[in-house]
Amino acid sequence: MMEISTFLEHQEKDTQNVKRVKAFYRAAKEKDSETITKLLVDDPVWSVSPGFPDGGIYRGLAEIFHSFYPSLLSRFYYFDAFPDVYIDGGDVVTVLGYYKFIKKEGESSKLVRFSHTWGIDNDGRIKGVWQVADSAQLITSNKTDATDAQSRAAD
């Protein structure tokens, strides 16, 4: 996997806010809902890039974790986020990294760049994320699948 940090030569500092965001990624990978709930505000907002699968605005834990993520993950055999660089901007932390995904079992994995900007409130809780990703490969895969499905249905 390409490392962004070698290109940007960013001197990362593990500030309190960066530690919180890193803890969120860890908890998400481990599906640790208790830690996720402690790290997030009561009504977080996920702003997912238009054009990204299921892109849109999601408000609250139920919409984010019981609507957005299940729908997104159902589209892939494998899908995960790999953060690479954390940039502390005070009340925001921007994370640059890659999504790694496999559309169907047996296919090779692909990488898609992302930028996540996490808002942090005065109590140190995460308010939400503004996500931008190079989703062309994801979209192309989804359009191909939809076209294949329509062709099969017409047969």
mmCIF file of all heavy atoms in Angstrom, residues 48-56 135-136 138-139 142:
data_model
loop_
_atom_site.group_PDB
_atom_site.id
_atom_site.type_symbol
_atom_site.label_atom_id
_atom_site.label_comp_id
_atom_site.label_asym_id
_atom_site.label_seq_id
_atom_site.Cartn_x
_atom_site.Cartn_y
_atom_site.Cartn_z
ATOM 1 N N VAL A 48 -21.069 12.300 3.841
ATOM 2 C CA VAL A 48 -20.393 11.395 2.912
ATOM 3 C C VAL A 48 -20.499 11.973 1.507
ATOM 4 O O VAL A 48 -21.584 12.317 1.045
ATOM 5 C CB VAL A 48 -21.021 9.986 2.982
ATOM 6 C CG1 VAL A 48 -20.326 9.029 2.024
ATOM 7 C CG2 VAL A 48 -20.978 9.452 4.421
ATOM 8 N N SER A 49 -19.377 12.058 0.851
ATOM 9 C CA SER A 49 -19.253 12.671 -0.464
ATOM 10 C C SER A 49 -20.346 12.254 -1.445
ATOM 11 O O SER A 49 -20.608 11.070 -1.604
ATOM 12 C CB SER A 49 -17.917 12.216 -1.045
ATOM 13 O OG SER A 49 -17.214 13.239 -1.608
ATOM 14 N N PRO A 50 -20.962 13.229 -2.117
ATOM 15 C CA PRO A 50 -21.870 12.875 -3.208
ATOM 16 C C PRO A 50 -21.084 12.071 -4.246
ATOM 17 O O PRO A 50 -19.926 12.359 -4.512
ATOM 18 C CB PRO A 50 -22.300 14.225 -3.787
ATOM 19 C CG PRO A 50 -22.020 15.215 -2.704
ATOM 20 C CD PRO A 50 -20.845 14.680 -1.942
ATOM 21 N N GLY A 51 -21.697 11.066 -4.797
ATOM 22 C CA GLY A 51 -21.016 10.211 -5.753
ATOM 23 C C GLY A 51 -20.417 8.975 -5.120
ATOM 24 O O GLY A 51 -20.186 7.983 -5.779
ATOM 25 N N PHE A 52 -20.136 9.041 -3.822
ATOM 26 C CA PHE A 52 -19.669 7.866 -3.094
ATOM 27 C C PHE A 52 -20.885 6.959 -2.885
ATOM 28 O O PHE A 52 -22.000 7.465 -2.720
ATOM 29 C CB PHE A 52 -19.093 8.307 -1.740
ATOM 30 C CG PHE A 52 -18.319 7.246 -1.026
ATOM 31 C CD1 PHE A 52 -17.006 6.964 -1.383
ATOM 32 C CD2 PHE A 52 -18.889 6.531 0.015
ATOM 33 C CE1 PHE A 52 -16.280 5.998 -0.716
ATOM 34 C CE2 PHE A 52 -18.166 5.558 0.689
ATOM 35 C CZ PHE A 52 -16.856 5.289 0.325
ATOM 36 N N PRO A 53 -20.712 5.630 -2.896
ATOM 37 C CA PRO A 53 -21.876 4.769 -2.654
ATOM 38 C C PRO A 53 -22.595 5.175 -1.356
ATOM 39 O O PRO A 53 -21.953 5.336 -0.321
ATOM 40 C CB PRO A 53 -21.268 3.374 -2.535
ATOM 41 C CG PRO A 53 -20.004 3.455 -3.331
ATOM 42 C CD PRO A 53 -19.492 4.865 -3.129
ATOM 43 N N ASP A 54 -23.888 5.377 -1.441
ATOM 44 C CA ASP A 54 -24.708 5.808 -0.309
ATOM 45 C C ASP A 54 -24.300 7.186 0.212
ATOM 46 O O ASP A 54 -24.523 7.500 1.382
ATOM 47 C CB ASP A 54 -24.692 4.779 0.826
ATOM 48 C CG ASP A 54 -25.264 3.447 0.389
ATOM 49 O OD1 ASP A 54 -26.386 3.447 -0.148
ATOM 50 O OD2 ASP A 54 -24.597 2.412 0.558
ATOM 51 N N GLY A 55 -23.700 8.008 -0.643
ATOM 52 C CA GLY A 55 -23.292 9.351 -0.250
ATOM 53 C C GLY A 55 -24.481 10.174 0.220
ATOM 54 O O GLY A 55 -25.600 9.986 -0.246
ATOM 55 N N GLY A 56 -24.252 11.050 1.170
ATOM 56 C CA GLY A 56 -25.297 11.906 1.714
ATOM 57 C C GLY A 56 -24.966 12.303 3.140
ATOM 58 O O GLY A 56 -23.866 12.079 3.631
ATOM 59 N N SER A 135 -13.928 8.106 -5.622
ATOM 60 C CA SER A 135 -14.824 6.956 -5.672
ATOM 61 C C SER A 135 -15.077 6.428 -7.081
ATOM 62 O O SER A 135 -15.940 5.590 -7.281
ATOM 63 C CB SER A 135 -16.143 7.301 -4.990
ATOM 64 O OG SER A 135 -16.694 8.458 -5.566
ATOM 65 N N ALA A 136 -14.307 6.866 -8.066
ATOM 66 C CA ALA A 136 -14.546 6.434 -9.449
ATOM 67 C C ALA A 136 -14.515 4.912 -9.578
ATOM 68 O O ALA A 136 -15.368 4.333 -10.245
ATOM 69 C CB ALA A 136 -13.532 7.066 -10.384
ATOM 70 N N LEU A 138 -15.116 2.720 -7.248
ATOM 71 C CA LEU A 138 -16.281 2.173 -6.552
ATOM 72 C C LEU A 138 -17.523 2.336 -7.410
ATOM 73 O O LEU A 138 -18.339 1.427 -7.525
ATOM 74 C CB LEU A 138 -16.485 2.882 -5.211
ATOM 75 C CG LEU A 138 -15.370 2.718 -4.189
ATOM 76 C CD1 LEU A 138 -15.539 3.725 -3.074
ATOM 77 C CD2 LEU A 138 -15.351 1.316 -3.651
ATOM 78 N N ILE A 139 -17.666 3.511 -8.019
ATOM 79 C CA ILE A 139 -18.837 3.802 -8.850
ATOM 80 C C ILE A 139 -18.822 2.913 -10.084
ATOM 81 O O ILE A 139 -19.833 2.328 -10.441
ATOM 82 C CB ILE A 139 -18.828 5.291 -9.278
ATOM 83 C CG1 ILE A 139 -18.804 6.158 -8.060
ATOM 84 C CG2 ILE A 139 -19.950 5.583 -10.243
ATOM 85 C CD1 ILE A 139 -20.061 6.697 -7.605
ATOM 86 N N ASN A 142 -19.900 -0.440 -9.189
ATOM 87 C CA ASN A 142 -21.327 -0.498 -8.914
ATOM 88 C C ASN A 142 -22.150 -0.386 -10.186
ATOM 89 O O ASN A 142 -23.133 -1.077 -10.351
ATOM 90 C CB ASN A 142 -21.737 0.595 -7.927
ATOM 91 C CG ASN A 142 -21.224 0.288 -6.545
ATOM 92 O OD1 ASN A 142 -20.989 -0.865 -6.199
ATOM 93 N ND2 ASN A 142 -21.032 1.316 -5.747
#
